[in-house]
Amino acid sequence: MSDTASMREPLTILYFAWLRERVGVAEEILELPEGVTTVAELVVYLSGLDQRHAAAFKDRKTVRCAVNQEFADPATVLQAGDEVAFFPPVTGG
Amino acid sequence: MSDTASMREPLTILYFAWLRERVGVAEEILELPEGVTTVAELVVYLSGLDQRHAAAFKDRKTVRCAVNQEFADPATVLQAGDEVAFFPPVTGG
Amino acid sequence: MAKISVQTGNFDIAAEISRLTAGRTDIGGVGCFVGIVRDDKPRDAPARAIQALTLEHYPAMTLRAVGRIVEEAERRWGLLGCTVIHRVGRMLPGENIVLVLTAASHRQAALDSTAFLIDWLKTKAPFWKREEFPDGEGAWVEAREADDTAASRW
Amino acid sequence: MAKISVQTGNFDIAAEISRLTAGRTDIGGVGCFVGIVRDDKPRDAPARAIQALTLEHYPAMTLRAVGRIVEEAERRWGLLGCTVIHRVGRMLPGENIVLVLTAASHRQAALDSTAFLIDWLKTKAPFWKREEFPDGEGAWVEAREADDTAASRW
């Protein structure tokens, strides 16, 4: 992989609702991990960090994701510098 | 025709909007005319009364009718004592 | 339970909403439609710009018919409250004409019943509008309903 | 033109309607939906009676997403005005949560765009509700959306 400046910008990970409660923080900053190119791969990576993350991502079918404030799919490709948010299905209004 | 008391009660005829303007009055009281048994027959009778009534019922396809405050058809049968209203298609709200 | 009024004066929307909802915790949504006297013709046809609107109605029929349709809406959508206010008399552009409010547990019932009631008021209730133009002339508003549909009945 | 607000405080429906309509004569109808914190469970399940609701949202995404959907509604129905106010934070049963107002020349556009916007806010906007129960416990409200539909994507 080429090592450009932009590749070094960290990811911002945001958690909402019960995902935030399980992880224990609302926001994490981390380098795009080696070998992680999609949302699905990021979830696998995060789930392996510790028990709190594992608990947050356990019910994966009720986890939704947005990348840079747009709804995203597990297959969505990540770039360094992205803001990645994880949350349950919305229950507004 | 039998001559019961109820048969003697007059009809009340009401006109609204441009029908009222053409006839020149909002309300008329009249005996159910001999031979008139339906709304359609009443309209023929009223049209023959004078030019004002004739003008009111000229555009018959834009005339609507209610008998005793319920929408009625030309075929609706009239009873002595009925309240018969004529008006254009409604334009409320 | 429902409030139905045919009146010459304006209505206070906030007061009407709060009359439906105050002190209750079972209402999830209030649907509302406010009809307003519109004059969108001044540019295209200045001679037909609406100076005022006069609404005539058939009082004995109006209250009966509106009462019946409101009962139908209450039953069909399980409404927790309903208010219909229709003004009559002379009104100027920009003034309120009609208010429909429905309160329900869920939004779909509130939205659907509001649409049902205002559609009915616009197409079935015995109200007639007369427009006044700048030259002092006036004309009864013609119904959009195709005359043909009813023509065959005579 | 549209007013979009995500706020902790309540809103004044009458003031919002009049902000849309004041001084105009081209508006024929205003559609409105008010969402209210509902607690309809006290009788069936007193232990789950809702004492309060807390709404969390994703601010950066909310304003962008609501702005985009409001623009779509304005374009699709030719709206003459639109207001969306969504509250966040802690609210009690009976309090207002959300307001949608649309102004249009004709009623159908006002009614349809109101329904479109509130449906979208309820099912797509990044808001999450947490309910508080009498025992002090709480639970995040689960979406009605069947999990299966999204499950296959992972």
Side-chain angles (χ1 to χ4, degrees), chain C residues 50-113:
Chain C
I50 293 163
Q51 304 301 291
L53 205 64
T54 299
L55 262 121
E56 178 171 329
H57 77 132
Y58 177 4
M61 186 169 172
T62 315
L63 284 178
R64 245 177 104 155
V66 177
R68 204 162 41 202
I69 207 74
V70 163
E71 273 173 29
E72 183 183 330
E74 288 179 320
R75 207 169 42 237
R76 188 159 155 193
W77 284 282
L79 297 184
L80 302 172
C82 182
T83 298
V84 171
I85 302 178
H86 206 303
R87 291 181 66 195
V88 291
R90 189 166 184 274
M91 284 160 256
L92 304 178
E95 283 191 57
N96 295 332
I97 308 179
V98 60
L99 175 69
V100 172
L101 285 182
T102 64
S105 299
H106 295 286
R107 76 178 181 287
Q108 209 54 53
L111 293 166
D112 290 350
S113 56

Side-chain angles (χ1 to χ4, degrees), chain B residues 14 16-18 20-21 60-64 66 68-71 73-74 83 85 87-93, chain C residues 56-58 60-61 64 68 86 98 122-130 140-141 143 145 147 150-151 153-154:
Chain B
L14 304 176
F16 293 95
W18 54 255
R20 175 179 49 70
E21 290 180 338
R60 204 159 300 177
K61 65 181 183 175
T62 59
V63 174
R64 301 290 177 272
N68 300 326
Q69 298 101 44
E70 303 285 348
F71 284 104
D73 282 332
E83 175 175 295
F87 42 79
V90 303
T91 54
Chain C
E56 178 171 329
H57 77 132
Y58 177 4
M61 186 169 172
R64 245 177 104 155
R68 204 162 41 202
H86 206 303
V98 60
K122 291 257 188 184
T123 58
K124 301 276 169 52
F127 291 97
W128 300 276
K129 279 179 185 153
R130 190 172 194 281
W140 293 95
V141 174
E145 164 196 1
D147 287 337
R153 305 185 320 178
W154 287 105

Side-chain angles (χ1 to χ4, degrees), chain B residues 16-90:
Chain B
F16 293 95
W18 54 255
L19 273 109
R20 175 179 49 70
E21 290 180 338
R22 290 191 193 171
V23 174
V25 297
E27 181 173 338
E28 294 180 304
I29 309 284
L30 72 156
E31 294 283 326
L32 186 58
E34 196 72 34
V36 167
T37 58
T38 65
V39 168
E41 287 164 0
L42 179 63
V43 168
V44 170
Y45 172 83
L46 292 169
S47 301
L49 286 180
D50 55 35
Q51 291 204 336
R52 295 187 143 203
H53 284 84
F57 288 106
K58 198 179 54 177
D59 302 324
R60 204 159 300 177
K61 65 181 183 175
T62 59
V63 174
R64 301 290 177 272
C65 179
V67 175
N68 300 326
Q69 298 101 44
E70 303 285 348
F71 284 104
D73 282 332
T76 300
V77 172
L78 296 174
Q79 310 288 337
D82 281 348
E83 175 175 295
V84 185
F86 294 104
F87 42 79
V90 303

Side-chain angles (χ1 to χ4, degrees), chain D residues 20-108:
Chain D
L20 282 191
T21 60
R24 302 188 67 153
T25 60
D26 55 344
I27 293 172
V30 172
C32 171
F33 179 83
V34 186
I36 297 172
V37 179
R38 183 171 54 89
D39 173 19
D40 60 355
K41 299 202 215 62
R43 239 167 286 183
D44 330 11
R48 305 298 273 183
I50 293 163
Q51 304 300 293
L53 204 64
T54 299
L55 263 120
E56 176 172 330
H57 78 130
Y58 177 4
M61 186 169 172
T62 316
L63 283 177
R64 245 175 105 158
V66 177
R68 204 160 43 200
I69 207 75
V70 163
E71 273 173 30
E72 184 183 328
E74 289 180 320
R75 208 168 42 236
R76 187 159 156 194
W77 284 282
L79 298 184
L80 301 172
C82 183
T83 298
V84 171
I85 302 179
H86 206 303
R87 291 180 67 196
V88 290
R90 190 166 183 275
M91 284 160 256
L92 303 178
E95 284 191 58
N96 296 331
I97 309 181
V98 61
L99 174 70
V100 172
L101 285 181
T102 65
S105 301
H106 296 286
R107 78 179 178 288
Q108 209 54 53

Side-chain angles (χ1 to χ4, degrees), chain A residues 16-22 88-92, chain D residues 37-38 41 49-57 89-93 97 127-133 135-142:
Chain A
F16 293 96
W18 53 256
L19 273 109
R20 175 178 49 68
E21 291 181 338
R22 291 192 191 171
V90 302
T91 54
Chain D
V37 179
R38 183 171 54 89
K41 299 202 215 62
I50 293 163
Q51 304 300 293
L53 204 64
T54 299
L55 263 120
E56 176 172 330
H57 78 130
R90 190 166 183 275
M91 284 160 256
L92 303 178
I97 309 181
F127 291 95
W128 299 276
K129 279 181 186 150
R130 190 174 195 282
E131 295 172 343
E132 291 171 36
F133 304 121
D135 60 3
E137 290 297 297
W140 292 95
V141 175
E142 280 180 40

